[in-house]
Amino acid sequence: MPFANLTAEAITEFYITGFSETQHPKAVGCIILIIYLLILLGSSANIYIIARDKRLHTPMYFFICSLSVVDIINSSSVSPTMILVLLADITAISYRSCITQMTLYNLAFAMEKFIISLMAYDRLVAISNPLRYHSILTKTRIVLLTVTSWTLGFSFIAVLTGIAVRLPYCRTNLSFAFCDYGAVVLAACVNPDEYFVVSTVLVFFILFGSFALICISYLKIIFTVLKIAPSEDRKKMYSTCSNHLIVVASVFVLPFVIIIVTRIGLVLSVTERNVLTIFSSLGPCLVNPFVYCFRTKEIRRQLFRIFKAVTPQE
């Protein structure tokens, strides 16, 4: 009998029990709710401002808009579940919803890294070949790079989803903050080690592959900047890259911390593990839109114009 049939007949829903040890669930739920609303507000503002101003229809702002879309997908895939568990004490989630949540979360995880890599390449071209910027990053190439990154993201995640839907499940309690691949595999009636090997390989290529591309891009940027004599031009180059470097740090630091903690064999409590998972999931989604909203001159200027337009004049 296929594993999919076993799953459908045996288990139709899971229970999120990762917050059972949380001392103040309502307070934590309110914090996550506020963070989620801020993510939606900041990301939507970026998308709206970039979409309405034709002067911002350039590769850099297209990637910023794409990152905002991914942040909305990422936060929306996991936040509602955590909010329901913490504020409404609704721990049940259907099997289909759990698999869908896992798929969207993993897709957003991959796409966030891919888009940030493309943004690093955009900065490299802008600094190394400013006069040929628009001839190198044409609309056709931008579309091709975007479609390729999404295709890679869907291909990687399809592997994990394909594994998850074929597993036979015999446990209903998921001691995690939401449905992710690790939680789902541990609920199955199998030895999880061999299935974690697959996810480890995929995460390695996604995380370290994209980080390597970013490092290579910035090494070339540094060599280019060092050749520029005027210090004012150097400062301008540094300010151009500073926003992206903040985003890179917010996206990669916590996943690397989690990997290091795992590799050294440090055993975390359920609460400690959930804190790391939530911060690594929602932290970048909160940082990204506000970095680009308030630190990018063009977006900030448009934002202030909108505020002035809606503010009643005395």
Side-chain angles (χ1 to χ4, degrees):
M1 183 182 294
F3 286 159
N5 290 339
L6 284 172
T7 300
E9 291 176 8
I11 291 178
T12 58
E13 63 181 13
F14 295 105
Y15 296 92
I16 306 296
T17 61
F19 293 106
S20 58
E21 298 179 4
T22 304
Q23 295 183 351
H24 305 286
K26 294 293 188 293
V28 175
C30 288
I31 292 172
I32 293 176
L33 175 60
I34 292 170
I35 291 174
Y36 179 47
L37 293 177
L38 288 174
I39 292 170
L40 293 181
L41 176 63
S43 298
S44 300
N46 273 345
I47 294 170
Y48 173 73
I49 291 170
I50 294 171
R52 74 188 292 269
D53 191 344
K54 291 184 178 180
R55 291 171 297 180
L56 300 181
H57 292 181
T58 63
M60 182 182 79
Y61 291 102
F62 175 78
F63 291 137
I64 292 175
C65 193
S66 299
L67 185 61
S68 295
V69 171
V70 171
D71 287 336
I72 291 175
I73 295 173
N74 192 357
S75 58
S76 297
S77 67
V78 299
S79 296
T81 296
M82 294 189 289
I83 292 168
L84 284 174
V85 172
L86 291 164
L87 295 182
D89 199 26
I90 300 175
T91 60
I93 181 171
S94 69
Y95 167 77
R96 291 181 181 275
S97 297
C98 186
I99 296 298
T100 301
Q101 182 180 91
M102 181 202 74
T103 301
L104 291 175
Y105 172 72
N106 289 334
L107 176 64
F109 172 86
M111 289 310 305
E112 189 175 48
K113 279 66 179 177
F114 293 158
I115 291 174
I116 290 175
S117 300
L118 292 178
M119 294 172 79
Y121 175 67
D122 169 81
R123 293 298 84 205
L124 172 62
V125 175
I127 293 174
S128 301
N129 297 282
L131 299 179
R132 298 181 56 220
Y133 177 73
H134 290 288
S135 62
I136 295 175
L137 290 177
T138 61
K139 290 183 179 179
T140 302
R141 286 175 180 167
I142 292 298
V143 170
L144 182 61
L145 287 171
T146 304
V147 171
T148 301
S149 63
W150 280 97
T151 302
L152 283 174
F154 276 110
S155 299
F156 281 137
I157 303 314
V159 174
L160 299 182
T161 303
I163 291 172
V165 297
R166 287 171 172 81
L167 289 175
Y169 294 96
C170 55
R171 302 174 188 88
T172 57
N173 289 343
L174 306 180
S175 58
F176 288 75
F178 49 82
C179 291
D180 65 6
Y181 180 77
V184 170
V185 169
L186 289 174
C189 312
V190 296
N191 179 8
D193 293 341
E194 58 184 286
Y195 295 95
F196 283 142
V197 170
V198 178
S199 63
T200 301
V201 172
L202 291 178
V203 169
F204 177 85
F205 279 107
I206 293 170
L207 197 62
F208 289 93
S210 57
F211 188 71
L213 291 175
I214 292 169
C215 289
I216 291 170
S217 297
Y218 272 100
L219 283 174
K220 291 185 176 180
I221 288 173
I222 290 171
F223 288 134
T224 301
V225 170
L226 290 176
K227 294 178 183 178
I228 300 174
S231 59
E232 292 183 1
D233 288 344
R234 290 185 183 182
K235 290 180 180 178
K236 188 180 295 184
M237 300 298 182
Y238 292 141
S239 64
T240 300
C241 297
S242 61
N243 292 343
H244 184 252
L245 287 173
I246 293 172
V247 170
V248 169
S250 71
V251 168
F252 285 94
V253 167
L254 274 180
F256 284 151
V257 168
I258 293 173
I259 290 173
I260 293 170
V261 168
T262 303
R263 298 307 300 174
I264 64 177
L266 184 63
V267 179
L268 299 176
S269 67
V270 173
T271 301
E272 292 170 339
R273 185 186 63 207
N274 285 342
V275 168
L276 281 176
T277 302
I278 292 170
F279 271 100
S280 66
S281 303
L282 299 184
C285 299
L286 181 63
V287 171
N288 297 344
F290 288 98
V291 164
Y292 287 114
C293 255
F294 296 114
R295 289 179 56 88
T296 304
K297 185 187 300 182
E298 290 78 6
I299 296 179
R300 186 173 65 243
R301 185 183 298 137
Q302 290 296 324
L303 189 63
F304 287 155
R305 286 178 181 176
I306 293 173
F307 279 140
K308 286 183 179 179
V310 299
T311 301
Q313 301 294 326
E314 295 183 0

Coordinates of all heavy atoms in Angstrom, one line a residue, residues 161-233:
T161 N 8.8 18.2 -0.2 CA 7.3 18.0 -0.1 C 7.0 16.6 -0.6 O 6.1 15.9 -0.1 CB 6.6 19.0 -1.0 OG1 6.9 20.3 -0.5 CG2 5.1 18.8 -0.9
G162 N 7.7 16.2 -1.7 CA 7.4 14.8 -2.2 C 7.8 13.7 -1.2 O 7.0 12.7 -1.1
I163 N 8.8 13.9 -0.4 CA 9.1 13.0 0.7 C 8.1 13.0 1.7 O 7.6 11.9 2.2 CB 10.5 13.3 1.3 CG1 11.6 13.1 0.3 CG2 10.8 12.5 2.6 CD1 13.0 13.6 0.7
A164 N 7.6 14.2 2.1 CA 6.7 14.3 3.3 C 5.4 13.7 3.0 O 4.8 13.0 3.8 CB 6.5 15.8 3.6
V165 N 4.8 13.8 1.8 CA 3.5 13.3 1.4 C 3.5 11.8 1.3 O 2.4 11.2 1.3 CB 2.9 14.0 0.2 CG1 2.8 15.5 0.4 CG2 3.8 13.7 -1.0
R166 N 4.7 11.2 1.2 CA 4.8 9.7 1.0 C 5.1 9.0 2.3 O 5.2 7.8 2.3 CB 5.8 9.4 -0.1 CG 5.3 9.7 -1.5 CD 6.4 9.6 -2.5 NE 5.9 9.7 -3.9 CZ 5.6 10.8 -4.5 NH1 5.8 12.0 -3.8 NH2 5.1 10.9 -5.7
L167 N 5.4 9.8 3.4 CA 5.7 9.1 4.6 C 4.5 8.6 5.4 O 3.4 9.2 5.3 CB 6.4 10.1 5.6 CG 7.8 10.6 5.1 CD1 8.3 11.7 6.1 CD2 8.8 9.4 5.2
P168 N 4.6 7.4 6.0 CA 3.6 6.9 6.9 C 3.7 7.6 8.3 O 4.7 7.6 8.9 CB 3.8 5.4 7.0 CG 5.3 5.3 6.8 CD 5.8 6.5 6.0
Y169 N 2.6 8.2 8.8 CA 2.6 8.9 10.0 C 1.9 8.1 11.1 O 0.9 7.5 10.9 CB 2.0 10.3 9.9 CG 2.7 11.2 8.9 CD1 2.4 11.3 7.6 CD2 3.8 11.9 9.4 CE1 3.1 12.1 6.7 CE2 4.6 12.7 8.5 CZ 4.2 12.8 7.2 OH 4.9 13.6 6.4
C170 N 2.5 8.2 12.3 CA 1.9 7.5 13.5 C 1.9 8.4 14.7 O 1.6 7.9 15.8 CB 2.7 6.2 13.8 SG 4.4 6.4 14.0
R171 N 2.4 9.6 14.6 CA 2.3 10.6 15.7 C 1.6 11.8 15.3 O 1.7 12.3 14.2 CB 3.7 10.9 16.2 CG 4.6 9.7 16.6 CD 6.0 10.2 16.9 NE 6.9 9.0 17.1 CZ 7.5 8.3 16.1 NH1 7.4 8.8 14.9 NH2 8.3 7.3 16.4
T172 N 0.8 12.4 16.2 CA 0.0 13.6 15.9 C 0.6 14.8 16.5 O 0.2 15.9 16.1 CB -1.4 13.4 16.3 OG1 -1.5 13.1 17.7 CG2 -2.1 12.2 15.6
N173 N 1.4 14.7 17.6 CA 1.9 15.8 18.3 C 3.2 16.3 17.6 O 4.1 15.5 17.5 CB 2.1 15.5 19.7 CG 0.8 15.4 20.5 OD1 -0.2 15.8 20.0 ND2 0.9 14.8 21.7
L174 N 3.3 17.6 17.3 CA 4.5 18.2 16.7 C 5.0 19.2 17.8 O 4.4 20.3 18.0 CB 4.2 18.9 15.4 CG 3.5 18.1 14.3 CD1 3.2 19.0 13.1 CD2 4.2 16.9 13.9
S175 N 6.1 18.9 18.4 CA 6.6 19.7 19.5 C 7.5 20.8 18.8 O 8.6 21.0 19.2 CB 7.4 18.9 20.5 OG 8.5 18.2 19.8
F176 N 6.9 21.5 17.9 CA 7.6 22.6 17.2 C 6.6 23.8 17.2 O 5.5 23.7 17.5 CB 8.0 22.2 15.8 CG 9.1 21.3 15.7 CD1 8.9 19.9 16.0 CD2 10.4 21.7 15.3 CE1 9.9 19.0 15.9 CE2 11.4 20.8 15.2 CZ 11.2 19.4 15.5
A177 N 7.1 25.0 16.7 CA 6.3 26.2 16.7 C 5.3 26.2 15.5 O 4.3 26.8 15.6 CB 7.2 27.4 16.6
F178 N 5.6 25.4 14.5 CA 4.8 25.3 13.3 C 5.2 24.1 12.5 O 6.2 23.4 12.9 CB 4.8 26.6 12.4 CG 6.2 27.0 12.1 CD1 7.0 26.5 11.1 CD2 6.8 28.0 12.9 CE1 8.2 26.9 10.8 CE2 8.1 28.5 12.6 CZ 8.8 27.9 11.6
C179 N 4.6 23.8 11.4 CA 4.9 22.6 10.6 C 6.1 23.0 9.7 O 6.0 23.8 8.8 CB 3.7 22.2 9.7 SG 2.3 21.6 10.6
D180 N 7.2 22.4 10.0 CA 8.3 22.4 9.1 C 8.8 21.0 8.8 O 8.2 20.0 9.3 CB 9.5 23.3 9.6 CG 10.1 22.7 10.9 OD1 9.8 21.6 11.3 OD2 11.0 23.4 11.5
Y181 N 9.8 20.9 7.9 CA 10.2 19.6 7.5 C 10.6 18.7 8.6 O 10.2 17.5 8.7 CB 11.3 19.7 6.4 CG 11.8 18.4 5.9 CD1 11.0 17.7 4.9 CD2 13.0 17.8 6.3 CE1 11.5 16.5 4.4 CE2 13.4 16.6 5.8 CZ 12.7 15.9 4.9 OH 13.1 14.7 4.4
G182 N 11.4 19.2 9.5 CA 11.9 18.4 10.7 C 10.7 17.9 11.6 O 10.7 16.8 12.0
A183 N 9.7 18.8 11.8 CA 8.6 18.4 12.6 C 7.8 17.3 12.0 O 7.4 16.3 12.6 CB 7.7 19.6 12.9
V184 N 7.6 17.4 10.7 CA 6.8 16.4 9.9 C 7.5 15.0 9.9 O 6.9 14.0 10.1 CB 6.5 16.9 8.5 CG1 6.0 15.8 7.6 CG2 5.6 18.1 8.5
V185 N 8.8 15.1 9.6 CA 9.6 13.8 9.6 C 9.6 13.1 10.9 O 9.5 11.9 11.0 CB 11.1 14.1 9.1 CG1 11.9 12.8 9.3 CG2 11.0 14.5 7.6
L186 N 9.8 13.9 12.0 CA 9.8 13.2 13.3 C 8.4 12.7 13.7 O 8.4 11.8 14.6 CB 10.2 14.3 14.4 CG 11.7 14.7 14.3 CD1 12.0 15.8 15.3 CD2 12.6 13.5 14.6
A187 N 7.4 13.1 13.0 CA 6.0 12.5 13.3 C 5.8 11.2 12.5 O 4.8 10.6 12.7 CB 5.0 13.5 13.0
A188 N 6.7 10.9 11.6 CA 6.5 9.7 10.8 C 7.0 8.4 11.5 O 7.8 8.5 12.4 CB 7.2 9.9 9.4
C189 N 6.5 7.3 11.0 CA 6.9 6.0 11.5 C 8.2 5.5 10.8 O 8.2 4.4 10.2 CB 5.8 5.0 11.4 SG 4.2 5.6 11.9
V190 N 9.2 6.3 10.7 CA 10.4 5.9 10.0 C 11.6 6.4 10.8 O 11.5 7.2 11.8 CB 10.5 6.6 8.6 CG1 9.3 6.1 7.7 CG2 10.4 8.1 8.8
N191 N 12.8 5.9 10.5 CA 14.0 6.4 11.0 C 14.3 7.8 10.4 O 14.5 7.8 9.2 CB 15.2 5.4 10.7 CG 16.5 5.9 11.3 OD1 16.6 6.9 12.0 ND2 17.6 5.2 10.9
P192 N 14.3 8.8 11.1 CA 14.4 10.2 10.5 C 15.7 10.5 10.0 O 15.9 11.4 9.1 CB 14.0 11.1 11.7 CG 14.4 10.4 12.9 CD 14.1 8.9 12.6
D193 N 16.8 9.8 10.4 CA 18.1 10.2 10.0 C 18.4 10.3 8.5 O 18.9 11.2 8.0 CB 19.1 9.2 10.7 CG 19.2 9.4 12.2 OD1 18.7 10.4 12.7 OD2 19.6 8.4 12.9
E194 N 17.9 9.2 7.8 CA 18.1 9.2 6.4 C 17.4 10.3 5.7 O 17.8 10.8 4.6 CB 17.7 7.8 5.8 CG 16.3 7.4 6.1 CD 16.0 6.0 5.6 OE1 15.9 5.8 4.4 OE2 15.9 5.1 6.4
Y195 N 16.2 10.7 6.2 CA 15.4 11.8 5.6 C 16.0 13.1 5.9 O 15.8 14.1 5.1 CB 14.0 11.7 6.1 CG 13.3 10.4 5.6 CD1 13.2 9.3 6.4 CD2 12.8 10.3 4.3 CE1 12.6 8.1 6.0 CE2 12.2 9.2 3.9 CZ 12.1 8.1 4.7 OH 11.5 6.9 4.3
F196 N 16.7 13.3 7.0 CA 17.3 14.5 7.4 C 18.6 14.7 6.5 O 19.0 15.9 6.3 CB 17.7 14.6 8.8 CG 16.6 14.8 9.8 CD1 16.4 14.2 11.0 CD2 15.6 15.8 9.4 CE1 15.4 14.5 11.8 CE2 14.5 16.0 10.2 CZ 14.4 15.4 11.4
V197 N 19.2 13.7 6.0 CA 20.3 13.8 5.1 C 19.9 14.6 3.9 O 20.7 15.5 3.4 CB 20.9 12.4 4.7 CG1 21.9 12.5 3.6 CG2 21.5 11.7 5.9
V198 N 18.8 14.3 3.3 CA 18.3 15.0 2.1 C 18.1 16.4 2.4 O 18.6 17.3 1.6 CB 16.9 14.4 1.6 CG1 16.4 15.1 0.4 CG2 17.1 12.9 1.3
S199 N 17.4 16.8 3.5 CA 17.2 18.2 3.8 C 18.5 18.9 4.1 O 18.7 20.1 3.7 CB 16.3 18.3 5.0 OG 16.8 17.8 6.2
T200 N 19.5 18.2 4.7 CA 20.8 18.8 5.0 C 21.5 19.2 3.8 O 22.1 20.2 3.7 CB 21.6 17.9 5.9 OG1 20.9 17.6 7.1 CG2 23.0 18.5 6.2
V201 N 21.5 18.3 2.8 CA 22.2 18.5 1.5 C 21.5 19.7 0.8 O 22.2 20.6 0.3 CB 22.1 17.3 0.6 CG1 22.6 17.6 -0.8 CG2 22.9 16.2 1.2
L202 N 20.2 19.8 0.8 CA 19.5 20.9 0.1 C 19.8 22.2 0.8 O 20.0 23.2 0.2 CB 18.0 20.6 0.1 CG 17.5 19.5 -0.8 CD1 16.0 19.3 -0.7 CD2 17.9 19.8 -2.3
V203 N 19.7 22.2 2.1 CA 20.0 23.4 2.9 C 21.4 23.9 2.7 O 21.7 25.1 2.6 CB 19.7 23.2 4.4 CG1 20.2 24.4 5.2 CG2 18.2 23.1 4.7
F204 N 22.3 22.9 2.6 CA 23.7 23.3 2.4 C 23.9 24.0 1.0 O 24.5 25.1 1.0 CB 24.6 22.0 2.3 CG 26.0 22.3 2.0 CD1 26.9 22.6 3.1 CD2 26.5 22.1 0.7 CE1 28.3 22.9 2.8 CE2 27.9 22.4 0.5 CZ 28.7 22.7 1.5
F205 N 23.3 23.5 0.0 CA 23.4 24.1 -1.3 C 22.7 25.5 -1.3 O 23.2 26.5 -1.9 CB 22.8 23.3 -2.4 CG 23.7 22.2 -2.9 CD1 23.5 20.9 -2.5 CD2 24.9 22.5 -3.7 CE1 24.4 19.9 -3.0 CE2 25.7 21.5 -4.1 CZ 25.5 20.2 -3.7
I206 N 21.5 25.6 -0.7 CA 20.8 26.9 -0.7 C 21.5 27.9 0.2 O 21.7 29.0 -0.3 CB 19.3 26.6 -0.2 CG1 18.5 25.8 -1.1 CG2 18.6 28.0 0.0 CD1 17.2 25.3 -0.6
L207 N 21.8 27.5 1.4 CA 22.4 28.5 2.3 C 23.8 28.8 2.0 O 24.2 30.0 1.8 CB 22.3 27.9 3.7 CG 22.5 28.9 4.9 CD1 21.4 29.9 4.9 CD2 22.5 28.1 6.2
F208 N 24.7 27.8 1.9 CA 26.1 28.1 1.6 C 26.4 28.5 0.2 O 27.3 29.3 -0.1 CB 27.0 26.9 2.0 CG 27.0 26.7 3.5 CD1 26.1 25.8 4.1 CD2 28.0 27.3 4.3 CE1 26.2 25.6 5.5 CE2 28.0 27.1 5.6 CZ 27.1 26.3 6.3
G209 N 25.6 27.9 -0.8 CA 25.8 28.3 -2.2 C 25.5 29.8 -2.4 O 26.2 30.5 -3.0
S210 N 24.3 30.3 -1.8 CA 24.0 31.7 -2.0 C 24.9 32.6 -1.2 O 25.3 33.6 -1.7 CB 22.5 31.9 -1.5 OG 22.3 31.5 -0.2
F211 N 25.3 32.1 0.0 CA 26.3 33.0 0.7 C 27.6 33.1 0.0 O 28.2 34.1 0.1 CB 26.5 32.3 2.1 CG 27.3 33.2 3.1 CD1 26.7 34.4 3.6 CD2 28.5 32.8 3.4 CE1 27.5 35.2 4.4 CE2 29.3 33.6 4.3 CZ 28.7 34.8 4.8
A212 N 28.0 32.0 -0.6 CA 29.3 32.0 -1.4 C 29.2 33.0 -2.5 O 30.2 33.8 -2.8 CB 29.6 30.6 -1.9
L213 N 28.1 33.0 -3.2 CA 27.9 34.0 -4.3 C 27.9 35.4 -3.8 O 28.5 36.3 -4.5 CB 26.6 33.7 -5.1 CG 26.5 32.4 -5.9 CD1 25.1 32.2 -6.4 CD2 27.5 32.4 -7.0
I214 N 27.3 35.6 -2.7 CA 27.3 37.0 -2.1 C 28.7 37.4 -1.7 O 29.1 38.5 -2.0 CB 26.4 37.0 -0.9 CG1 24.9 36.9 -1.3 CG2 26.5 38.3 -0.1 CD1 24.0 36.6 -0.2
C215 N 29.5 36.5 -1.1 CA 30.9 36.8 -0.7 C 31.7 37.1 -1.9 O 32.5 38.1 -1.9 CB 31.5 35.6 0.1 SG 30.8 35.4 1.7
I216 N 31.5 36.3 -3.0 CA 32.3 36.6 -4.2 C 32.0 37.9 -4.8 O 32.9 38.7 -5.3 CB 32.0 35.4 -5.3 CG1 32.6 34.1 -4.8 CG2 32.6 35.8 -6.6 CD1 32.2 32.9 -5.6
S217 N 30.7 38.3 -4.8 CA 30.3 39.6 -5.4 C 30.9 40.7 -4.6 O 31.4 41.7 -5.1 CB 28.7 39.7 -5.3 OG 28.1 38.7 -6.2
Y218 N 30.9 40.6 -3.2 CA 31.4 41.7 -2.4 C 32.9 41.7 -2.4 O 33.5 42.8 -2.3 CB 30.9 41.6 -1.0 CG 29.6 42.3 -0.9 CD1 28.4 41.6 -0.9 CD2 29.5 43.7 -0.7 CE1 27.2 42.2 -0.8 CE2 28.3 44.3 -0.7 CZ 27.1 43.6 -0.7 OH 26.0 44.3 -0.6
L219 N 33.6 40.6 -2.7 CA 35.0 40.7 -2.8 C 35.4 41.5 -4.1 O 36.3 42.3 -4.1 CB 35.6 39.3 -2.9 CG 35.8 38.5 -1.6 CD1 36.2 37.1 -1.9 CD2 36.8 39.2 -0.7
K220 N 34.6 41.2 -5.2 CA 34.9 42.0 -6.4 C 34.5 43.5 -6.2 O 35.2 44.3 -6.8 CB 34.0 41.4 -7.5 CG 34.5 40.0 -8.0 CD 33.7 39.5 -9.2 CE 34.3 38.1 -9.7 NZ 33.5 37.6 -10.8
I221 N 33.5 43.7 -5.4 CA 33.1 45.1 -5.2 C 34.2 45.8 -4.4 O 34.5 47.0 -4.7 CB 31.8 45.2 -4.4 CG1 30.6 44.8 -5.3 CG2 31.5 46.5 -3.8 CD1 29.3 44.6 -4.5
I222 N 34.8 45.1 -3.4 CA 35.8 45.7 -2.6 C 37.0 46.0 -3.5 O 37.6 47.1 -3.4 CB 36.2 44.8 -1.5 CG1 35.1 44.7 -0.4 CG2 37.5 45.2 -0.8 CD1 35.3 43.6 0.6
F223 N 37.4 45.1 -4.4 CA 38.6 45.4 -5.3 C 38.3 46.6 -6.2 O 39.2 47.4 -6.5 CB 38.9 44.1 -6.1 CG 39.5 43.0 -5.3 CD1 39.1 41.7 -5.4 CD2 40.5 43.3 -4.4 CE1 39.7 40.7 -4.7 CE2 41.1 42.3 -3.7 CZ 40.7 41.0 -3.8
T224 N 37.0 46.7 -6.6 CA 36.6 47.8 -7.5 C 36.7 49.1 -6.7 O 37.2 50.1 -7.2 CB 35.2 47.5 -8.1 OG1 35.2 46.3 -8.8 CG2 34.8 48.7 -9.0
V225 N 36.2 49.1 -5.5 CA 36.1 50.3 -4.7 C 37.5 50.8 -4.4 O 37.8 52.0 -4.3 CB 35.3 50.1 -3.4 CG1 35.4 51.3 -2.5 CG2 33.8 49.9 -3.8
L226 N 38.4 49.8 -4.1 CA 39.8 50.2 -3.7 C 40.5 50.9 -4.9 O 41.5 51.6 -4.6 CB 40.6 49.0 -3.3 CG 40.1 48.4 -1.9 CD1 40.9 47.1 -1.6 CD2 40.3 49.4 -0.8
K227 N 40.1 50.6 -6.1 CA 40.7 51.3 -7.2 C 40.2 52.7 -7.4 O 40.8 53.5 -8.2 CB 40.4 50.4 -8.5 CG 41.1 49.1 -8.5 CD 40.7 48.3 -9.8 CE 41.3 46.9 -9.7 NZ 40.9 46.1 -11.0
I228 N 39.1 53.0 -6.8 CA 38.6 54.4 -6.9 C 39.3 55.3 -6.0 O 39.3 55.1 -4.8 CB 37.1 54.4 -6.6 CG1 36.3 53.4 -7.6 CG2 36.5 55.8 -6.7 CD1 34.9 53.3 -7.2
A229 N 39.9 56.4 -6.5 CA 40.8 57.3 -5.7 C 40.0 58.2 -4.8 O 40.3 58.2 -3.6 CB 41.6 58.1 -6.7
P230 N 39.0 58.9 -5.3 CA 38.3 59.9 -4.4 C 37.6 59.2 -3.2 O 36.9 58.2 -3.4 CB 37.3 60.6 -5.3 CG 37.8 60.4 -6.7 CD 38.5 59.0 -6.6
S231 N 37.9 59.7 -2.0 CA 37.2 59.1 -0.8 C 35.7 59.3 -0.8 O 35.0 58.5 -0.3 CB 37.8 59.7 0.5 OG 37.6 61.1 0.5
E232 N 35.3 60.4 -1.4 CA 33.8 60.6 -1.5 C 33.1 59.6 -2.3 O 32.0 59.1 -1.9 CB 33.5 62.0 -2.1 CG 34.0 63.2 -1.2 CD 33.7 64.5 -1.8 OE1 33.0 64.5 -2.9 OE2 34.0 65.6 -1.2
D233 N 33.7 59.2 -3.4 CA 33.1 58.1 -4.2 C 33.1 56.8 -3.4 O 32.1 56.0 -3.6 CB 33.9 57.9 -5.5 CG 33.7 59.1 -6.5 OD1 32.7 59.8 -6.3 OD2 34.5 59.2 -7.4

